[in-house]
Structure formats: structure tokens, C-alpha cells
């Protein structure tokens, strides 16, 4: 897939926020189910949660965004700034796209937009 402009990435993030929120919720449910003795159920519910997580992660990746981490949830949108490859970076807890980092530096090089 191609590169995102900032406006395109922000619009895609807005569409993805309900999906990302569901990933966070299901991740917690799956962890509780995996620990055992959960009021949420047992092995069948754990497998269902895992299957749904897989579907949701695929939904994110089909947009061209890159799912970089699950705990915490981290999504990058490939882009370019002044001819330099960058990743517009969203971290779990953010409600908007406000960060980027050079593609070669990774999360440690994260800067505000």
C-alpha cells in the first residue's frame, strides 16, 4: 500500500478508533480468560476472543497501517515529511494522531507533529 498524507492518516485513525478500542477490550478479556477461573468463561470463550482479535488486527492491517505492538497497542501510518520516510505514530490512549518518527529510528525517535 502507499503512503498516507497526514489528513488521510487522521481520517483512517478516526475510522479505526472503534476497532482499536475493541482490540484493547478483547486483549484484557483474553488475558483474564487465559489466567483461568474467569467469570467471562473458559477455553471456548478464550478461543473466540483470540479469533476476534485476529480479525480486528487484520482489519487494521488492511488499511495500510502497520500494527507494531499489542500491549501497548501501537499503530504506524507510513508517510513522508520533507522527502524523508516517516511513520505517523498512534499509541494506545491517544485519541488523535499527534506523533511521528523517522522510519529508521523507531519509537525512540518519536516527536510531536
Amino acid at each position: 500500500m502507499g503512503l498516507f498524507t497526514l489528513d488521510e492518516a487522521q481520517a483512517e485513525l478516526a475510522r479505526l478508533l472503534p476497532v482499536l478500542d475493541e482490540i484493547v477490550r478483547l486483549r484484557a478479556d483474553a488475558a483474564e480468560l487465559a489466567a483461568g477461573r474467569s467469570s467471562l468463561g473458559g477455553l471456548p470463550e478464550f478461543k473466540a476472543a483470540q479469533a476476534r482479535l485476529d480479525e480486528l488486527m487484520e482489519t487494521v492491517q488492511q488499511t495500510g497501517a502497520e500494527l507494531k505492538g499489542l500491549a501497548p497497542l501501537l499503530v504506524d501510518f507510513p508517510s513522508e515529511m520533507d522527502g524523508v520516510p516517516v511513520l505517523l505514530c498512534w499509541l494506545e490512549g491517544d485519541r488523535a494522531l499527534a506523533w511521528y518518527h523517522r522510519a529508521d529510528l523507531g519509537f525512540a525517535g518519536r516527536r510531536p507533529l
Side-chain angles (χ1 to χ4, degrees):
M1 301 214 172
L3 299 177
F4 288 86
T5 66
L6 179 56
D7 288 342
E8 290 168 343
Q10 289 171 329
E12 194 60 54
L13 176 62
R15 285 188 291 273
L16 282 174
L17 279 174
V19 172
L20 299 171
D21 289 341
E22 187 175 355
I23 289 172
V24 170
R25 183 186 59 76
L26 277 170
R27 181 189 67 204
D29 289 353
E32 183 178 325
L33 287 161
R37 297 190 196 139
S38 171
S39 64
L40 298 174
L43 185 59
E45 289 78 15
F46 173 74
K47 288 185 177 205
Q50 286 295 109
R52 180 66 179 148
L53 274 171
D54 290 343
E55 289 173 13
L56 293 169
M57 291 187 294
E58 180 67 24
T59 297
V60 172
Q61 293 171 333
Q62 286 177 350
T63 68
E66 300 173 2
L67 189 58
K68 294 289 183 80
L70 189 58
L73 192 56
L74 179 61
V75 179
D76 285 339
F77 297 86
S79 189
E80 192 175 86
M81 289 182 148
D82 301 321
V84 176
V86 299
L87 297 168
L88 305 173
C89 186
W90 178 88
L91 179 64
E92 181 179 329
D94 294 345
R95 295 319 290 170
L97 195 55
W99 298 88
Y100 79 98
H101 56 82
R102 285 186 4 203
D104 62 334
L105 293 180
F107 190 82
R110 197 171 188 235
R111 298 177 181 272
L113 286 170

